[in-house]
Amino acid sequence: MSSVWREGMIGSGKQKGPLEPPSPVLMFQCHGGGFIAQSSKSHAAYLRRWTKDIGVPMIAVDYSLAPTYPYPRALEEVVHAYAWCIENKTLLGWTGEKVIFVGDSAGGNLLVAATLKCIQIGLPLPSGLFLAYTPFLLQFVPSPSRLLCLTDPLLPFGFMMKCLQSYAATNKKENLVLNNIQSKSLLYSLWTTASDMISFIFAKQRGGKEGIVNHKGTWLSDHSPSEEFQEFDVPADPYISPYLANADDLSRFPKTVLVSSESDPCLDDTVMFGKRLKEQNVPIDLVIFDDLPHGFLNFGASPEANEAIRVCGDKIRDLCNSK
């Protein structure tokens, strides 16, 4: 997408009047959605705003979604799309000089993994990364911010478990996979999983029976929630969990803007990944907003989120203009 027609851009030959010269910068964007949902269209409102305000073209990648296409399909498609952009820069109205990776949530994870892939296979590295509320460690590691998902209505524990399992899990049990689940039953499953987990915690605090109580007060199972983690494994793979990448690879990263919020379950991931980059002398810019949920870029109707979208656009503009 672009706010102006540029020389060489697909469709520019049909335009009357002068064309803008190719842009020295391209934004390469991947959307969030837990690896299982959403698309570039669901993020179009703020992406179009950034394209216009920053004044550079953007390509938004619609990668294949889990569980139909689990890891590494989405990552492979993102890397292939990036390689295509490099080879066909004129068609995008781009000189090929600089590219800024822009991603949120699962999209941010894919772009960090794609950067690692570029290092491995020798593709040109991006000139900067903008990563909003991104999960960098897809492992069962508790942290203060991750515990927020137990009561977060927008990113509940059940949803995070289903996303993780659908995208990256091995040793899956068929009855736990998302295949052929209708939307209504999926939403009910996500809601009850989160509420059941909270009930378990409260029961343990009261010294009650070890089990899970649902919202009607009946026992759902005779095992603890920790046993749910034993139903599948997630590989310790840096292309799944970029936090696990080796120091030499991280030292080659460009300037990175990391964005989260105080109520984001991915806040601790963001801070710790930023720490790893800083240890390798990679310039970082850590931005933490107040009182905004995970996924706030899609909530532009809110004055607070609208202002955060503006701030994020300014940060991306700084990356585009940096030497």
Side-chain angles (χ1 to χ4, degrees), residues 10-192:
I10 297 175
S12 61
K14 299 179 181 180
Q15 303 304 309
K16 298 180 180 180
L19 301 174
E20 294 290 326
S23 169
V25 185
L26 175 73
M27 291 186 287
F28 184 86
Q29 191 269 347
C30 285
H31 66 82
F35 305 102
I36 67 172
Q38 301 196 29
S39 67
S40 59
K41 291 183 178 179
S42 61
H43 291 61
Y46 71 85
L47 295 181
R48 291 184 184 279
R49 174 177 170 182
W50 285 347
T51 301
K52 180 179 179 181
D53 292 348
I54 299 172
V56 301
M58 172 188 291
I59 182 166
V61 181
D62 281 324
Y63 51 86
S64 296
L65 302 175
T68 305
Y69 301 102
Y71 173 84
R73 178 65 173 267
L75 175 58
E76 292 173 344
E77 291 180 351
V78 169
V79 174
H80 289 167
Y82 177 50
W84 183 91
C85 291
I86 294 173
E87 291 297 316
N88 297 274
K89 54 183 179 291
T90 302
L91 299 178
L92 302 173
W94 174 43
T95 64
E97 182 179 341
K98 295 178 63 174
V99 60
I100 306 299
F101 282 3
V102 177
D104 70 291
S105 196
N109 176 287
L110 289 171
L111 288 174
V112 177
T115 303
L116 293 171
K117 279 291 185 183
C118 289
I119 293 172
Q120 179 193 45
I121 64 180
L123 280 175
L125 296 180
S127 301
L129 291 120
F130 173 88
L131 308 168
Y133 37 80
T134 296
F136 294 101
L137 182 62
L138 301 187
Q139 298 283 327
F140 302 124
V141 179
S143 75
S145 72
R146 288 184 172 198
L147 293 177
L148 290 173
C149 71
L150 296 178
T151 56
D152 190 335
L154 296 175
L155 193 64
F157 176 81
F159 181 75
M160 293 184 71
M161 285 285 290
K162 296 295 187 183
C163 293
L164 178 58
Q165 182 185 10
S166 298
Y167 176 64
T170 59
N171 301 325
K172 302 175 185 177
K173 287 191 175 182
E174 291 184 3
N175 63 334
L176 290 177
V177 183
L178 285 175
N179 291 328
N180 300 321
I181 297 180
Q182 296 181 353
S183 299
K184 183 176 180 181
S185 60
L186 172 59
L187 292 173
Y188 180 80
S189 172
L190 301 182
W191 183 86
T192 54

Side-chain angles (χ1 to χ4, degrees), residues 212-226:
I212 305 177
V213 182
N214 68 10
H215 62 288
K216 296 181 180 179
T218 58
W219 295 100
L220 293 181
S221 67
D222 292 325
H223 62 275
S224 71
S226 62

